[in-house]
Amino acid sequence: MNAFQRNESKETLFTFISAGDDPPKGDFPAQKKSPKLCGSNYPLSIAFIVVNEFCERFSYYGMRAVLTLYFLSFFHWDENLSTAVYHAFSALCYFTPVIGAIMADSWLGKYKTIIYLSVVYVVGHLIKSVGAIPSLGNQAVHVVLSMVGLFLIALGTGGIKPCVSAFGGDQFEEEHTSERSKFFSIFYLSINAGSLISTFVTPVLRGDVKCFGEDCYALAFGVPAALMVLALGE
C-alpha cells in the first residue's frame, strides 16, 4: 500500500467517525427522568418502596408473633402440633423466594411479580383474619381458612422478597451510587422497624382487646392485614 492509499484509508476512517457530526435523531432517544424526592437525587418512587416494606414486615411479623398462641388457645392443639405447623409455615416462607425469583427473571419481571404476589399476600391475610372469627363456622372451617391463609401469606411474603430490594436499587441512575447505598440503609432500617414495632403491638391487640367474648385474634390478624392493604396501595 503506497502513501496515498494510506492517507485515503485514514481520511475514509475519519469520514465515518467524525467528532463534530451530530448523531442521527431518533437513534439515541433521551430517557425520561423520574421525579425526584424534594429536589434531591433520590427518586420519588423509593419513598413508596420504603413505606411498603415497613408495612409488609409489620404485617408478617405481627401475624407471626401470635401464631403459636393462636394454635394453642383458639384451635386447642397441643404444643407439638402447634410447633410443627409454625415451623412448617416458616420453612415455606423461606422456600417461596425461589418461586418469586423464577417468576421475576423468567416471566413477569420484578414489578409485576411484586404487584401480583402482593395481591396474593393481601388475600391470604384477609382469609386468615376471617378464619379467626369464632362465630364463623366450626373448628374445621377455622382450620381450613387459617391453613389456606397461611399458605397464601407464605407465597406472598417469600415471593416478593427477592424482588423488592432489587427493584428499589433499579430506581437510581448509574452515577448516584452514594444515594443508592443510603437507600439500602434506610430500606433495611424500615424492615427492622416494622418487625420490632409489630412484635410489641400485635400481642397487645390480642390480649388487651376483647372481641366475641375472648382474646381478639381477628383484630390481631386484621391490623396486619390492613397494613398489607396499605402497602399494596403504595
Side-chain angles (χ1 to χ4, degrees):
M1 180 182 291
N2 57 33
F4 176 76
Q5 289 175 319
R6 286 198 297 270
N7 290 336
E8 185 181 25
S9 298
K10 292 178 181 178
E11 290 175 1
T12 304
L13 174 65
F14 285 104
T15 299
F16 285 101
I17 308 176
S18 176
D21 291 342
D22 292 330
K25 293 182 179 180
D27 289 350
F28 300 96
Q31 293 183 350
K32 186 177 179 181
K33 298 286 186 179
S34 59
K36 301 299 182 181
L37 186 63
C38 300
S40 66
N41 290 325
Y42 293 93
L44 181 61
S45 55
I46 67 165
F48 298 100
I49 294 173
V50 169
V51 173
N52 177 289
E53 191 64 17
F54 174 86
C55 295
E56 190 274 325
R57 290 290 86 186
F58 187 105
S59 67
Y60 173 73
Y61 281 99
M63 178 276 302
R64 208 177 73 164
V66 297
L67 188 58
T68 303
L69 289 175
Y70 176 67
F71 293 151
L72 290 170
S73 62
F74 193 85
F75 289 162
H76 304 293
W77 289 351
D78 59 37
E79 292 185 2
N80 291 332
L81 179 58
S82 300
T83 303
V85 174
Y86 175 86
H87 286 294
F89 167 71
S90 299
L92 185 60
C93 291
Y94 286 104
F95 171 76
T96 50
V98 177
I99 299 175
I102 293 173
M103 290 176 62
D105 290 342
S106 305
W107 182 24
L108 296 173
K110 290 188 285 289
Y111 179 74
K112 288 184 178 180
T113 300
I114 293 171
I115 293 297
Y116 294 160
L117 290 183
S118 292
V119 173
V120 172
Y121 201 168
V122 168
V123 172
H125 269 295
L126 294 176
I127 293 175
K128 186 76 178 63
S129 301
V130 171
I133 300 176
S135 59
L136 183 66
N138 55 22
Q139 183 171 352
V141 173
H142 296 150
V143 171
V144 170
L145 290 176
S146 295
M147 294 303 106
V148 171
L150 287 176
F151 175 79
L152 295 178
I153 290 170
L155 180 59
T157 189
I160 67 175
K161 193 179 295 296
C163 303
V164 177
S165 59
F167 181 71
D170 290 344
Q171 306 305 304
F172 291 87
E173 298 166 9
E174 289 299 324
E175 63 268 22
H176 298 149
T177 56
S178 175
E179 287 82 359
R180 184 189 289 121
S181 57
K182 290 179 182 177
F183 156 72
F184 282 112
S185 297
I186 297 172
F187 179 80
Y188 289 112
L189 175 63
S190 71
I191 290 177
N192 292 321
S195 306
L196 177 64
I197 294 172
S198 67
T199 303
F200 289 101
V201 172
T202 309
V204 172
L205 294 175
R206 177 201 66 84
D208 293 355
V209 180
K210 301 296 181 181
C211 57
F212 306 103
E214 53 187 78
D215 290 345
C216 198
Y217 286 100
L219 180 63
F221 294 140
V223 170
L227 280 177
M228 195 55 216
V229 171
L230 176 63
L232 179 60
E234 294 287 343

